Amino acid sequence: GGLGVMVDELSQGLQQLGQELIMISPYYDRNRKGQSDYLANDPFNIKYLQNTTVKLDGEYTFGVHMGEGNGGIKYYFLHNYKIFPKPYPDGSCEYTLRQICLFCKGSLQLLCDLKKIPAVVMTNDWFTGLAAAYAKNGHFGDTFNGTTFFHICHNLEPTYEGRLYPSPEQGTLDYIHQLPTDTLVDPWWKNKVINPSRCALMCSDQWGTVSYSYRDELLGSSPLAPILKMKPQPFAFPNGIFREKRLQALKEKAGGDRNECKRYIQKKYFGYGDADFNVPVYSFVGRLTQQKGVLMILDAAEEIIRKTNGKVNILVGGMGSPSDPYVAACIGKITYLKGKYPYAFWADPNEFFTD
C-alpha cells in the first residue's frame, strides 16, 4: 500500500527479473523533521555525483546525488534548495508548476547526461506528469524516440490530479512549461485548469493502475475518462508485497507479541502507565485526504468516546498539506479532540506515522 512502498517493491521485482533499473526522485533540502543532508547516513551510500542543468524559463542547476542498493538498483536524487525546499511546500501556482516542470525535464536531462536512454520510462502520479510531453515535443530532439512512456495512476481522484488554477491575468503559464497548451489545459472545461495528469495521459504511450476495479472505476467516472479511453487495453494489476520480507520486518519490530505492541501504543500515545487490554485500539494510517474519508472518522470519534466512557483509543496516523481546505478541517477537529480527550484520541497532522 502507498505509492512509495509500491514503487520501491515494484522496482525490486523488476530488478529480480533481470532489468536494469534507475530511480529518480527529488532530494528535499530539509526532510519532514527539518533535517538537512539527511541522505548522508543512508545505507545505500548516497553521495554527490555531479551537477545537471535544466533550461526552462531560465537555467536551473541541480546537484545530483547517487547511491546503489537492493541488488544493483541505482538511485539518483535531484537537489536544489529553492525548487525542492521540503515535502509538501506551500507555494503559488507558478511555483508548483515550475517544480513539476523542472523535476520532469531534469530527470530526462539527467538520463541524457548519464548516456542512459531507457527502453521504458515509468512515471508515477501527477508530479511526474510532464515527462512524456517533454520527450515528445522537441525538447530533446529524437533522443527518446525509442522509449516507451508508461504512466501509473495510483490515485486519480479530482483533488489528486495535481490541478492548478492560474488567475485570469496569468493565462496558461506557457512561458513556464513551454509545451502545447492543450496538453495541459482542456479548452472545453468551464474553468481554466492546468492539469499535469491530463498531460501524462495524453502524451504517454500507455497507462496503468493498481487494481482491476480501480481501472474500471476510472474509465467509468473519472473527469479524465475520455483521455483514459484513448489508450486501448490499459494495464491493471493488484498491488503486491514481498510477503516473507514483510512478515520478518513485523517480527523484528514487534517481536510477534500483540500485547507488547498494544502496551507500546497506549503508553506512548495515550499516556497510560501500563497497558489496559480491555480498551480497544482503533488505528487509521494514511494521508489526510477526502478520498480516505478521514473526516468521517473524526466526526464519529467524540460520540464513540462518550458512549464508551472514554474506554477507547482512537489513533489517526498521517499528514497532509494545511493549505488543502479538507486537511484544514481535519486539523481543526484533531486539535479539539486531542485537547479534550488525550487519553482516548491521538493524531499529529504534521508528521508521517512511522511507528
Side-chain angles (χ1 to χ4, degrees):
L3 184 153
V5 173
M6 184 271 184
V7 170
D8 182 35
E9 297 188 350
L10 172 62
S11 63
Q12 293 180 54
L14 288 168
Q15 186 81 358
Q16 291 171 9
L17 292 173
Q19 304 300 314
E20 179 184 1
L21 264 290
I22 289 175
M23 301 278 286
I24 305 175
S25 300
Y27 184 177
Y28 298 106
D29 193 57
R30 295 187 179 274
N31 65 10
R32 58 187 174 82
K33 296 181 179 179
Q35 299 167 331
S36 60
D37 200 28
Y38 53 90
L39 290 180
N41 298 319
D42 192 275
F44 289 175
N45 193 32
I46 296 167
K47 304 290 185 185
Y48 169 78
L49 179 67
Q50 63 187 57
N51 284 350
T52 190
T53 300
V54 183
K55 293 182 179 180
L56 199 63
D57 56 333
E59 284 197 351
Y60 299 84
T61 299
F62 291 87
V64 180
H65 300 251
M66 192 273 280
E68 186 172 326
N70 286 329
I73 300 174
K74 291 182 172 61
Y75 296 87
Y76 292 89
F77 296 87
L78 300 179
H79 179 264
N80 180 302
Y81 75 96
K82 290 184 178 179
I83 305 301
F84 303 131
K86 62 179 182 178
Y88 301 110
D90 294 321
S92 65
C93 179
E94 299 106 310
Y95 177 77
T96 303
L97 179 61
R98 191 174 283 110
Q99 272 192 311
I100 300 168
C101 295
L102 287 171
F103 178 63
C104 293
K105 194 170 184 182
S107 296
L108 297 178
Q109 184 61 54
L110 173 60
L111 292 171
C112 293
D113 294 347
L114 296 172
K115 296 181 171 56
K116 287 281 190 182
I117 307 306
V120 179
V121 169
M122 301 177 69
T123 53
N124 294 275
D125 274 346
W126 60 271
F127 199 77
T128 64
L130 277 59
Y134 283 125
K136 297 185 177 186
N137 282 279
H139 287 257
F140 294 90
D142 59 3
T143 302
F144 294 99
N145 284 3
T147 299
T148 297
F149 284 81
F150 180 78
H151 187 70
I152 303 178
C153 303
H154 298 265
N155 184 348
L156 204 59
E157 66 160 323
T159 58
Y160 207 71
E161 292 174 6
R163 297 181 184 184
L164 299 171
Y165 299 89
S167 61
E169 61 270 18
Q170 290 175 321
T172 51
L173 297 175
D174 294 21
Y175 78 96
I176 295 178
H177 60 75
Q178 299 177 10
L179 292 167
T181 304
D182 68 341
T183 60
L184 285 151
V185 180
D186 190 328
W188 301 107
W189 281 20
K190 180 180 178 180
N191 297 319
K192 182 170 57 183
V193 180
I194 295 175
N195 193 329
S197 291
R198 168 186 170 86
C199 185
L201 295 167
M202 286 189 68
C203 297
S204 295
D205 297 287
Q206 185 55 287
W207 66 274
T209 191
V210 293
S211 75
Y212 305 119
S213 59
Y214 193 48
R215 176 183 60 188
D216 295 342
E217 179 184 333
L218 291 177
L219 289 168
S221 61
S222 169
L224 296 174
I227 301 172
L228 291 164
K229 292 175 182 177
M230 292 169 60
K231 303 294 190 290
Q233 298 181 311
F235 184 83
F237 200 80
N239 270 353
I241 61 171
F242 294 123
R243 184 171 178 271
E244 295 304 321
K245 183 177 178 181
R246 186 67 60 83
L247 289 172
Q248 182 61 33
L250 287 170
K251 186 176 181 180
E252 290 172 0
K253 288 178 180 294
D257 190 316
R258 177 178 180 275
N259 285 343
E260 282 305 308
C261 291
K262 190 167 188 176
R263 177 177 283 109
Y264 175 89
I265 289 171
Q266 289 184 328
K267 291 176 70 174
K268 178 170 183 178
Y269 296 101
F270 300 100
Y272 283 34
D274 197 7
D276 185 342
F277 299 124
N278 293 314
V279 176
V281 176
Y282 295 97
S283 302
F284 165 83
V285 180
R287 289 175 294 107
L288 303 184
T289 67
Q290 188 169 2
Q291 184 199 39
K292 305 291 186 183
V294 182
L295 269 179
M296 290 192 287
I297 299 172
L298 300 175
D299 285 341
E302 186 165 33
E303 184 177 358
I304 294 170
I305 293 168
R306 287 175 175 173
K307 286 189 173 182
T308 59
N309 294 317
K311 297 293 186 180
V312 65
N313 301 145
I314 300 172
L315 185 152
V316 177
M319 69 178 297
S321 172
S323 62
D324 182 335
Y326 186 89
V327 176
C330 288
I331 291 173
K333 289 183 178 292
I334 285 169
T335 303
Y336 165 76
L337 291 166
K338 193 174 179 181
K340 189 171 183 179
Y341 307 104
Y343 52 87
F345 181 88
W346 184 91
D348 186 348
N350 297 310
E351 285 284 337
F352 287 106
F353 185 67
T354 53
D355 287 322

